[in-house]
């Protein structure tokens, strides 16, 4: 036995080598990596330390950046929840599917189609054990749920949010789809939701390690989405008649929610190390959209529900010790729908018709940054946005702006009067792209009507 290893470390390393020998081949003929995709909910761009966070320390999340790559130009597909999750799962613009037009998804009349090609389904076909732990929010029965969409196990909530202690919407009638679920049945587990999700994620990692099967774990926390409840707030929460959104909360409570999230990520990373899986595991940490009431988005402006940078630019970290140099910083422009083709490429799997780009080569340092052109729409306040290179065209309520994000990521210096040709080009690109997308029922996008210089507070 190597004197540098204790017995537990030696057994973990031996188990990892034995497991690797039985795995299908991934990128470049190597054993396929485990994939742990951690998504926070409503996390601000600067809520975590490695992006300049000032609210609370997040050492465990920051450690992913230390071990791998931190993206400075990462985006969510939408400024609200469900459309981003749809794009992540399908690798396509959410506006190609009817449920992607619900911003956010609040009605049960749409959901993920039964025949949708999804990332977990393709990975399951490639021999992966697939699990969703956390938030689904892609439609309720009779539409397909997680277990009908490629995940082999599910533990979490089906709807957009829940009380962290009761796991229900307080003050509202309990519906069939409410509550914490284990598979298709409601779970009776008691505890703070962030901790329960972490407990299950750790268990899933252990099960996959013992089975010597590659794992795709979607760990979609509800934190730090409202209600504003830290781990010690059960007594306060139980006294409320309903979930408080615009009432209550504080930076102190928000800090407690972030700390709980950070501790959970630390436990997940420790589970990977303990199972001897860390080296050949891809770990991604990101958010579904920009920050909310108590979030920090500095130096950006805007928040959830807006196509300003603060509403769509998100923290994004990726570690893969066997393939990514530690402490890397990348200016690669990326978006949620890129992860489906990128992760399938890492796994050596095929299939899918993607709008997203395979960014495996630039993120692992084997290719230069890849140029991107990205588009957003959001029905509320008639918003559109285009990013092409460093230029961003933005329209909100008929007011237009053009910003050079290379020098003005705060979107303060409107250049539309100085660069009319660039603005016209980006508007034309949007028009061509928009023709291929499903349209809102009220035809909300007449983007030449009533346009004027964008005012900035």
């Amino acid at each position: 036995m190597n004197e540098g290893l204790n017995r537990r470390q030696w057994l973990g390393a031996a188990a990892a080598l034995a497991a690797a020998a039985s795995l299908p081949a991934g990128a470049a003929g190597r054993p396929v990596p485990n994939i742990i995709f951690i998504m926070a909910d409503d996390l601000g761009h600067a809520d975590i330390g490695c992006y300049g966070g000032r609210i609370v320390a997040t050492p465990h999340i920051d450690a992913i950046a230390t071990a791998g790559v931190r993206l400075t130009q990462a985006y969510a597909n939408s400024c609200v929840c469900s459309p981003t999750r749809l794009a992540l799962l399908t690798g396509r613009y959410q506006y190609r599917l009817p449920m992607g037009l619900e911003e956010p998804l609040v009605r049960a009349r749409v959901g993920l189609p039964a025949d949708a090609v999804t990332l977990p389904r393709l990975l399951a076909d490639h021999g992966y054990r697939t699990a969703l732990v956390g938030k689904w929010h892609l439609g309720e029965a009779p539409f397909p749920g997680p277990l009908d969409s490629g995940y082999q196990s599910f533990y979490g909530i089906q709807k957009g949010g829940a009380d962290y202690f009761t796991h229900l919407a307080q003050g509202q009638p309990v519906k069939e789809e409410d509550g914490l679920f284990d598979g298709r049945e409601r779970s009776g587990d008691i505890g703070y939701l962030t901790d329960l999700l972490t407990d299950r994620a750790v268990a899933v990692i252990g099960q996959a390690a013992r089975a010597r099967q590659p794992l795709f774990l979607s760990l979609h926390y509800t934190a730090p989405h409202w209600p504003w409840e830290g781990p010690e707030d059960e007594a306060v929460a139980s006294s409320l008649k309903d979930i408080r959104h615009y009432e209550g909360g504080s930076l102190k409570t928000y800090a407690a929610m972030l700390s709980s999230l950070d501790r959970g990520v630390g436990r997940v990373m420790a589970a990977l190390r303990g199972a001897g899986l860390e080296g050949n595991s891809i770990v991604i940490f990101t958010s579904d959209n920009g920050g909310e009431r108590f979030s920090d988005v500095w130096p950006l402006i805007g928040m959830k529900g807006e196509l300003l940078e603060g509403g769509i630019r998100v923290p994004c970290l990726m570690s893969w010790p066997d393939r990514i140099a530690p402490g890397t910083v990348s200016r690669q422009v990326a978006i949620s729908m890129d992860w489906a083709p990128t992760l399938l490429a890492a796994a050596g799997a095929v299939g899918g018709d993607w709008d997203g780009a395979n960014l495996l080569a630039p993120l692992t340092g084997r290719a230069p940054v890849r140029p991107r052109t990205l588009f957003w729409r959001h029905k509320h306040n008639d918003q559109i946005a285009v990013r092409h290179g460093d230029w961003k065209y933005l329209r909100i309520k008929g007011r237009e702006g053009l910003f050079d994000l290379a020098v003005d990521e705060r979107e303060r210096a409107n250049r539309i009067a100085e660069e009319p040709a660039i603005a016209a080009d980006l508007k034309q690109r949007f028009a061509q792209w928009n023709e291929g997308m499903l349209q809102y029922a009220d035809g909300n996008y007449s983007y030449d009507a009533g346009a004027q210089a964008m005012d900035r507070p």
Side-chain angles (χ1 to χ4, degrees):
M1 181 184 299
N2 187 330
E3 294 181 356
L5 297 176
N6 61 34
R7 177 175 175 79
R8 176 179 292 181
Q9 291 171 326
W10 186 87
L11 289 173
L17 289 172
S22 64
L23 297 180
R30 306 167 190 243
V32 300
N34 299 290
I35 301 168
I36 314 298
F37 194 99
I38 306 172
M39 179 179 280
D41 198 340
D42 294 357
L43 187 73
H45 177 264
D47 274 343
I48 57 178
C50 60
Y51 285 88
R54 300 167 291 182
I55 298 174
V56 70
T58 54
H60 299 296
I61 297 172
D62 296 343
I64 301 173
T66 301
V69 58
R70 177 172 67 90
L71 283 75
T72 62
Q73 309 285 312
Y75 288 94
N77 258 72
S78 176
C79 57
V80 292
C81 172
S82 300
T84 288
R85 294 167 191 272
L86 178 63
L88 171 66
L89 213 63
T90 64
R92 309 178 76 197
Y93 277 112
Q94 62 272 24
Y95 321 103
R96 294 193 183 277
L97 296 169
M99 76 161 294
L101 304 181
E102 298 288 326
E103 300 173 328
L105 180 65
V106 294
R107 288 172 285 185
R109 63 181 180 85
V110 291
L112 187 69
D115 60 352
V117 176
T118 68
L119 173 60
R121 179 167 285 149
L122 292 174
L123 287 173
D125 290 344
H126 196 58
Y128 274 76
R129 176 182 294 234
T130 60
L132 171 61
V133 175
K135 178 173 168 176
W136 172 242
H137 206 200
L138 287 174
E140 304 157 10
F143 293 99
L147 299 179
D148 309 305
S149 305
Y151 289 112
Q152 297 159 348
S153 65
F154 168 58
Y155 180 83
I157 65 169
Q158 297 187 53
K159 303 187 76 173
D163 182 89
Y164 284 83
F165 297 98
T166 68
H167 318 140
L168 299 168
Q170 293 180 358
Q172 300 178 20
V174 177
K175 299 180 181 179
E176 183 178 354
E177 66 273 8
D178 289 340
L180 180 64
F181 280 77
D182 193 343
R184 299 186 192 276
E185 302 298 325
R186 188 177 282 116
S187 170
D189 290 348
I190 299 172
Y192 187 68
L193 186 54
T194 303
D195 295 336
L196 291 177
L197 299 181
T198 299
D199 292 344
R200 180 56 62 94
V202 168
V204 167
I205 290 170
Q207 293 163 3
R210 290 189 293 274
R212 299 182 179 181
Q213 186 178 8
L215 173 65
F216 173 57
L217 168 61
S218 294
L219 176 52
H220 294 182
Y221 282 107
T222 61
H225 190 288
W226 66 279
W228 315 113
E229 298 169 350
E232 307 302 321
D233 291 337
E234 184 172 10
V236 175
S238 64
S239 69
L240 299 177
K241 294 182 179 179
D242 54 29
I243 291 180
R244 301 302 174 101
H245 184 193
Y246 293 110
E247 303 170 10
S250 66
L251 278 176
K252 181 179 178 181
T253 300
Y254 192 70
M257 298 171 75
L258 289 178
S259 292
S260 175
L261 172 65
D262 184 67
R263 288 193 299 271
V265 171
R267 289 182 56 204
V268 168
M269 298 304 293
L272 287 173
R273 287 191 295 273
L277 302 177
E278 186 176 26
N280 193 35
S281 290
I282 296 172
V283 177
I284 295 161
F285 178 88
T286 190
S287 181
D288 60 347
N289 47 247
E292 249 259 46
R293 294 181 65 214
F294 298 104
S295 295
D296 189 353
V297 299
W298 180 264
L300 312 177
I301 60 172
M303 61 183 292
K304 176 181 179 179
E306 298 173 334
L307 296 185
L308 292 156
E309 291 291 286
I312 53 176
R313 199 189 295 193
V314 292
C316 188
L317 312 172
M318 177 180 178
S319 66
W320 189 5
D322 286 356
R323 299 288 302 278
I324 297 176
T328 304
V329 177
S330 175
R331 287 188 56 82
Q332 174 64 60
V333 175
I335 193 167
S336 311
M337 62 185 177
D338 293 337
W339 290 115
T342 299
L343 294 175
L344 286 165
V350 296
D353 179 17
W354 315 119
D355 291 319
N358 174 7
L359 300 179
L360 186 63
L363 293 181
T364 56
R366 294 186 293 110
V369 168
R370 178 174 175 175
R372 304 300 301 283
T373 300
L374 301 175
F375 303 93
W376 293 266
R377 303 181 329 200
H378 189 56
K379 188 173 184 179
H380 181 63
N381 286 335
D382 186 31
Q383 300 179 65
I384 66 173
V386 181
R387 176 162 180 170
H388 177 64
D390 287 325
W391 287 104
K392 179 180 177 181
Y393 171 78
L394 176 66
R395 190 195 71 198
I396 302 176
K397 287 186 175 180
R399 296 193 294 266
E400 295 182 297
L402 180 69
F403 306 98
D404 182 356
L405 297 179
V407 295
D408 180 31
E409 60 185 351
R410 197 160 168 78
E411 298 171 286
R412 290 292 187 179
N414 191 348
R415 301 285 302 280
I416 199 163
E418 298 171 89
E419 302 288 353
I422 294 175
D425 176 62
L426 297 190
K427 291 167 69 175
Q428 181 59 32
R429 289 174 185 270
F430 179 87
Q432 293 174 346
W433 166 84
N434 194 41
E435 288 178 356
M437 301 296 130
L438 298 178
Q439 301 301 308
Y440 299 114
D442 60 3
N444 204 33
Y445 286 86
S446 55
Y447 42 84
D448 288 327
Q452 54 185 300
M454 178 172 291
D455 297 326
R456 285 280 164 223

